[in-house]
Amino acid sequence: MPYVVTRSCCADASCVLACPVNCIHPAPGEPGFGTTEMLYVDPRTCVDCGACTTACPVDALKPHTALGAAELPFLELNASYYKENAHADRAPMYVVPRQRQLPEGELSVAVVGAGPAGLFAADELLRHPGVRVTVYDRLPTPYGLARAGVAPDHQDTKRVTELFRAIESQTAFSYRLGVEVGSDVTHADLLREHHAVIYAVGAATDKRLGIEGEDLPGSVSATDFVAWYNGHPDHAHDDHDLGCERAVVIGNGNVALDVARILTADPDALARTDISDCALAALRTSKVREVVLLGRRGPAQAAFTVPELLALGALKDVDVRVEGWPEDLAPDATEKTRLLSELAARPHAEGRRRIVLRFLTGPVRITGDGSVRALEVTATTLDTDDDGTVRARPTGETLTLETGLVLRSVGYRARPVPGLPFDEDTATIPHDSGRVEPGVYVAGWIKRGPTGFIGTNKTCAHETVASLLDDFAAGRLTRPLSTVGAAGNGLGLAAWRAIDRVERAAGEAQGRPRVKLTDTESLHRAAARAVPAVRG
């Protein structure tokens, strides 16, 4: 009875370490780790011990006999990986890096950003005795996109926060939440108080389309829309008009699929999640019946992952359609195109809400008198460059889609960090293995761009921390000049735990995981219930 990795896999490799027979791949150090969409169990060598399930932070591993109908395709997906990636060619079992023997004296590190990248960096640092870590974030709550980015109908993925809870519980860890670096505290302040600073600030904005009408009311960044339904304090009280029958999402990555699912989901099902109350109320009165996802290129180039496509195809109350299928594309070229071919061949289920995956279609302009009323699109055809890059070229054939809501989902983009270099083309901070200069480091999307999965940040953090510890061992870091925290009024761990208790208690009363507090004032009121104090 082999175990199977399912959709919620975060690819952080905890299961790899737990497996006694080395049957989960790719592992850290092996080809594909950090770039594959998930990890896979080899059914030929799995001994059914279940050790992987206790290590997995997101409940992604299950015995094949416990798979639900929607999860059965993952049995073949796991097995098929090894048909193309022979186990005999795999590297030896992953070995935990040894603890560093640090120079005498305590190493103090500031981590800016309390999302997955920042917390994995903190965890990597705290594996070495003699290190203290202080994590700063401008919000009163930690966990970044794990709290405010993962869709509320993916509660299994959100279980990774239990791993973060264990990280923040370590004695040499502390928070300074509700502190914005650049205004409440400066980069220079952090360098005076710590040996080093790791910036793990993510990618907080979205890429632009650069088309006419992009700024009309009703044209919305998917980044902001996701923040709205997840209760992010910056956007929880935004007003989105859901009075139209069709919404159009430009882009076809995982975020685009998230948005489409939420817009077409049964509100009663969402009411059992941690979706924001404001968004839930709006979705209960929504008139949206169809969500169209546009992709300039073909099915083979779609940005969503196979696990998320499988989850989309398994929706029971939503009609999923595929349009713009190129006749000259072999449907079995990849696992993704094979699955899309199966979706395209399904009979339509009339009367249900509908998600349409439309390929070979690009946006031209958004039109409307005072707000969005339509999106003009063009058909595209594919050309291949000499280097193999597939590009979409407009054919000139146009179509107008009536809609009152256009959501731009073409990628995240990081902002510059004051005082640090910034590459405008890649929207990242230039670095060498995470080192900007001795004492200043980067991790996560600000380091590598918006790529990878939650677990990718673990390997990314390991590289950055190795560079930092090398500099400390070589005497290249400056000893802190001050032990008085400039951000002493920031909320500490006790304050965050108080907020967490309030949210969970409210959720328990309603049969939900939590009811999020979505404004700074209510978050600080909850934090004030911390005992003893909120400095943590």
Side-chain angles (χ1 to χ4, degrees):
M1 184 180 70
Y3 277 72
V4 180
V5 180
T6 60
R7 180 203 55 78
S8 59
C9 176
C10 70
D12 85 330
S14 297
C15 55
V16 174
L17 182 62
C19 178
V21 294
N22 194 28
C23 76
I24 305 176
H25 300 280
E30 294 180 340
F33 182 77
T35 58
T36 54
E37 296 176 345
M38 55 186 281
L39 304 183
Y40 306 87
V41 172
D42 187 346
R44 299 168 301 174
T45 56
C46 175
V47 295
D48 187 27
C49 69
C52 56
T53 63
T54 60
C56 178
V58 293
D59 198 25
L61 282 138
K62 300 179 181 180
H64 83 269
T65 53
L67 297 175
E71 296 171 319
L72 286 175
F74 286 97
L75 183 60
E76 173 58 28
L77 186 63
N78 278 247
S80 64
Y81 172 81
Y82 292 93
K83 296 175 183 177
E84 299 180 3
N85 301 271
H87 188 274
D89 296 332
R90 298 285 118 197
M93 188 180 298
Y94 177 52
V95 177
V96 179
R98 293 182 179 179
Q99 291 181 337
R100 294 277 192 120
Q101 296 298 316
L102 301 179
E104 186 176 351
E106 191 174 61
L107 170 61
S108 174
V109 180
V111 176
V112 181
L119 291 173
F120 277 126
D123 190 40
E124 286 291 329
L125 285 162
L126 293 171
R127 293 177 187 274
H128 307 280
V131 181
R132 286 188 301 110
V133 177
T134 305
V135 176
Y136 297 77
D137 200 284
R138 72 179 185 86
L139 293 178
T141 57
Y143 306 164
L145 288 180
R147 175 180 167 95
V150 175
D153 62 342
H154 280 0
Q155 289 296 310
D156 47 5
T157 303
K158 287 176 180 276
R159 289 196 185 103
V160 74
T161 59
E162 295 304 312
L163 174 60
F164 299 155
R165 186 178 179 90
I167 293 171
E168 70 192 14
S169 298
Q170 298 177 73
T171 55
F173 180 104
S174 62
Y175 275 132
R176 291 293 180 265
L177 301 173
V179 174
E180 186 167 8
V181 176
S183 55
D184 299 317
V185 63
T186 68
H187 175 63
D189 291 332
L190 296 180
L191 287 177
R192 276 194 298 270
E193 297 170 22
H194 305 278
H195 289 87
V197 183
I198 297 177
Y199 284 92
V201 293
T205 62
D206 64 298
K207 295 180 180 177
R208 302 276 295 175
L209 296 171
I211 63 174
E212 181 182 339
E214 186 171 6
D215 294 318
L216 278 171
S219 172
V220 182
S221 154
T223 305
D224 293 350
F225 194 77
V226 169
W228 169 68
Y229 64 61
N230 270 318
H232 191 293
D234 290 351
H235 296 284
H237 302 285
D238 290 353
D239 183 18
H240 295 293
D241 185 358
L242 305 183
C244 55
E245 291 196 359
R246 175 189 290 134
V248 179
V249 182
I250 301 174
N252 56 18
N254 285 350
V255 172
L257 293 191
D258 286 348
V259 168
R261 288 197 322 276
I262 296 303
L263 282 170
T264 55
D266 178 0
D268 287 339
L270 291 177
R272 297 190 291 271
T273 74
D274 63 348
I275 191 170
S276 85
D277 287 344
C278 180
L280 181 60
L283 289 165
R284 286 195 181 282
T285 60
S286 170
K287 294 182 179 179
V288 175
R289 300 293 300 174
E290 178 182 83
V291 181
V292 180
L293 278 68
L294 300 184
R296 292 178 184 268
R297 298 187 293 171
Q301 293 80 40
F304 49 68
T305 61
V306 168
E308 290 300 329
L309 179 60
L310 283 170
L312 184 73
L315 295 177
K316 294 181 179 180
D317 300 322
V318 178
D319 183 26
V320 180
R321 303 186 182 184
V322 180
E323 297 180 354
W325 185 273
E327 296 297 331
D328 58 347
L329 180 67
D332 58 350
T334 66
E335 184 71 17
K336 186 179 293 182
T337 54
R338 183 186 68 78
L339 291 170
L340 284 167
S341 180
E342 292 177 359
L343 280 175
R346 280 186 182 179
H348 297 324
E350 301 297 339
R352 296 179 180 176
R353 289 192 175 101
R354 183 164 55 245
I355 295 175
V356 180
L357 305 176
R358 186 179 181 91
F359 297 99
L360 298 173
T361 308
V364 176
R365 66 178 58 85
I366 301 170
T367 61
D369 183 13
S371 63
V372 171
R373 290 293 176 265
L375 172 67
E376 184 179 328
V377 301
T378 181
T380 63
T381 188
L382 301 181
D383 292 331
T384 304
D385 294 345
D386 292 340
D387 63 359
T389 302
V390 178
R391 301 189 185 279
R393 176 173 55 81
T395 65
E397 179 185 354
T398 61
L399 173 71
T400 298
L401 299 174
E402 292 186 3
T403 180
L405 179 62
V406 174
L407 293 145
R408 310 182 303 272
S409 184
V410 292
Y412 290 92
R413 182 178 173 84
R415 296 190 183 105
V417 174
L420 298 186
F422 190 73
D423 185 325
E424 288 289 348
D425 291 335
T426 62
T428 60
I429 292 176
H431 64 92
D432 178 13
S433 298
R435 180 192 296 106
V436 181
E437 61 184 38
V440 182
Y441 307 85
V442 286
W445 283 358
I446 192 67
K447 170 187 174 183
R448 67 180 191 272
T451 60
F453 312 97
I454 290 175
T456 309
N457 291 297
K458 192 170 185 177
T459 306
C460 176
H462 176 74
E463 178 188 61
T464 294
V465 169
S467 295
L468 187 158
L469 295 178
D470 285 345
D471 288 344
F472 184 57
R476 290 190 286 263
L477 303 185
T478 303
R479 183 176 295 275
L481 299 176
S482 172
T483 58
V484 179
N489 291 328
L491 303 179
L493 177 60
W496 158 235
R497 291 285 168 84
I499 293 170
D500 186 49
R501 285 194 299 272
V502 169
E503 291 186 339
R504 287 177 185 266
E508 185 177 2
Q510 299 182 27
R512 303 169 64 182
R514 68 175 65 238
V515 175
K516 288 180 180 173
L517 301 174
T518 58
D519 63 88
T520 301
E521 184 178 346
S522 61
L523 286 164
H524 278 272
R525 281 200 303 269
R529 303 183 186 184
V531 178
V534 299
R535 287 176 61 91

